[in-house]
Amino acid sequence: MRHPDTADAGEAGQARHWFLRGVLAAVSIPALILATAFVGFAGLAREAGFSLAEILFMIAVVWALPAKVVLIGAVLAGNALPAVAFAVALSSIRLTPMVVALVPEMRGPRTRPWVLYALSHFVAVTSWVIALETIRGVPRDLRTTYYCGLGLSLVLFNMVVAAVTYLVAGSLPPAVAAGLLLLTPIYFLTSLWGSAREQAGKVAMVAGLALGPVAHMLVPGFDLLAAGFVGGVCAYLWHRFTRQAPA
Amino acid sequence: MTYGAIDAWWWPYLFILVAGWLATDFWRYLGVYLGGKVAEESEAMVLVRCIATALVAAVIASLVVYPGGALADTPLALRIGAMAAGFAAYMLVRRNVLLSIVVTEIVLIGGLAILQR
């Protein structure tokens, strides 16, 4: 990978070692919870009419679960491509500061930019949290290798989870099939609450929950965008208002 | 221009590429490009997080209130009750996500079993 003339057996062995350490770092409680979420995601995507190949393609090219769930939600609501793309983009702006936080930790003196662009694709909540917790213990010039092992194994493992779910989903008893479709909502209800950094995030969540069904009736076709915008801006105004109140 | 609008094998993939890949990796690549120039703590990021959270919350509520498939055949009150029970378990027991999932599923599936008697 780097300087073939100096890459002796020891260096290649080191790279392999840290790649595997990255793979092992994916075996964790957050990763188990993520796999549960992918079970729910696969059931939901299948119900929305996506084929198995399309679901695996979506996991490979999108990866971040909130973006995929917004994508499916918008497709289910019958939104047109521009509205769907806009909703997914709005839900994913937060990926930028996550990448910004991770890149300085990951970059070594000899890291090429294209490696960072390629690896940034693996950034989503779970791999990002695991990486920020563990990457400091990795030798700097092998951190990209480590993150590649972590990100790639999470993506591939969850593709398998989604495929197995897709294949058995059709033969489940009705009550279990119903339970499968409730996995995604409860996963995001709790994980959104847990990941809210400021009180405003919780206000935004409650506003979004209330506005989603209302917007579904009032502005079909733009319901998610409308609920996201109105709920998000209200929560932000609440944030500004309550912060300035004591002064 | 909806997901089901064009009856060709490549359309769903193009749809996923534009609405999924482009709409997510654009932000990741921007993060690499910007390097250290965006602060997580900035006011603009609070607004961005609020909108993203409200958007995903709106999807959650729609999935519970207007579900498809087998979930559509269940009573709305039971779906909301199962979600509320799962969230209560999450808040009461050390913010445990796995537990909240288990509680939600037990309430939903158990509730359906009782209703069918």
Side-chain angles (χ1 to χ4, degrees), chain A residues 34-62:
Chain A
L34 185 67
T36 315
F38 267 89
V39 170
F41 159 75
L44 188 66
R46 183 180 177 278
E47 199 51 59
F50 288 85
S51 71
L52 176 58
E54 288 161 21
I55 292 171
L56 296 179
F57 182 69
M58 206 190 305
I59 296 174
V61 303
V62 180

Side-chain angles (χ1 to χ4, degrees), chain A residues 143-170:
Chain A
R143 286 181 182 179
T144 49
T145 310
Y146 173 83
Y147 190 67
C148 186
L150 171 64
L152 200 58
S153 57
L154 279 174
V155 172
L156 293 178
F157 174 64
N158 284 297
M159 284 172 106
V160 173
V161 168
V164 171
T165 306
Y166 185 93
L167 294 174
V168 302

Side-chain angles (χ1 to χ4, degrees), chain A residues 32-33 36 44 47 49-50 53-54 57-58 61-64 66-67 69-71 75-76 78-81 84-85 87-97 99-100 103 116-117 120-121 123 174-175 177-179 181-183 185-190 192-194 197-198 200-201 204-205 208-209 212-213 216-217 224 227-229 231-232 235-236 239-240 243, chain B residues 1-3 9 11-41 43-66 68-72 74 78-79 82-84 86-87 90-91 95-98 100-101 104-105 108-109 112-113 116:
Chain A
L32 175 66
I33 295 171
T36 315
L44 188 66
E47 199 51 59
F50 288 85
E54 288 161 21
F57 182 69
M58 206 190 305
V61 303
V62 180
W63 182 226
V69 169
V70 169
L71 175 58
V75 164
L76 276 174
N79 294 7
L81 179 58
V84 181
V88 173
L90 269 181
S91 75
S92 307
I93 303 176
R94 59 202 315 181
L95 290 170
T96 300
V99 171
V100 164
V103 161
L116 293 173
Y117 280 102
S120 75
H121 178 70
V123 171
L181 293 175
L182 209 54
L183 264 182
I186 188 61
Y187 168 79
F188 274 108
L189 189 70
T190 54
L192 272 187
W193 190 268
R197 286 166 180 237
E198 51 267 313
M205 192 180 118
L209 286 174
H216 185 93
M217 286 186 291
L224 300 179
F229 253 124
Y236 179 72
H239 168 80
R240 293 295 296 257
R243 236 192 15 176
Chain B
M1 283 283 274
T2 58
Y3 170 72
W9 71 267
W11 173 246
Y13 296 95
L14 184 66
F15 193 98
I16 293 168
L17 272 182
V18 174
W21 173 73
L22 201 63
T24 52
D25 263 1
F26 171 81
W27 300 114
R28 295 185 176 107
Y29 297 160
L30 183 67
V32 177
Y33 176 76
L34 288 176
K37 288 174 214 149
V38 178
E40 271 272 87
E41 323 307 329
E43 277 294 294
M45 282 318 299
V46 176
L47 176 61
V48 161
R49 278 199 295 270
C50 281
I51 292 177
T53 303
L55 235 165
V56 178
V59 177
I60 296 172
S62 296
L63 290 176
V64 174
V65 179
Y66 306 104
L71 197 57
T74 61
L78 180 60
R79 298 196 294 268
M83 292 284 290
F87 190 70
Y90 171 80
M91 296 302 283
R95 305 287 191 264
N96 190 325
V97 177
L98 281 180
S100 74
I101 290 173
T104 297
E105 296 297 328
L108 179 77
I109 295 172
L112 287 174
Q116 274 160 12

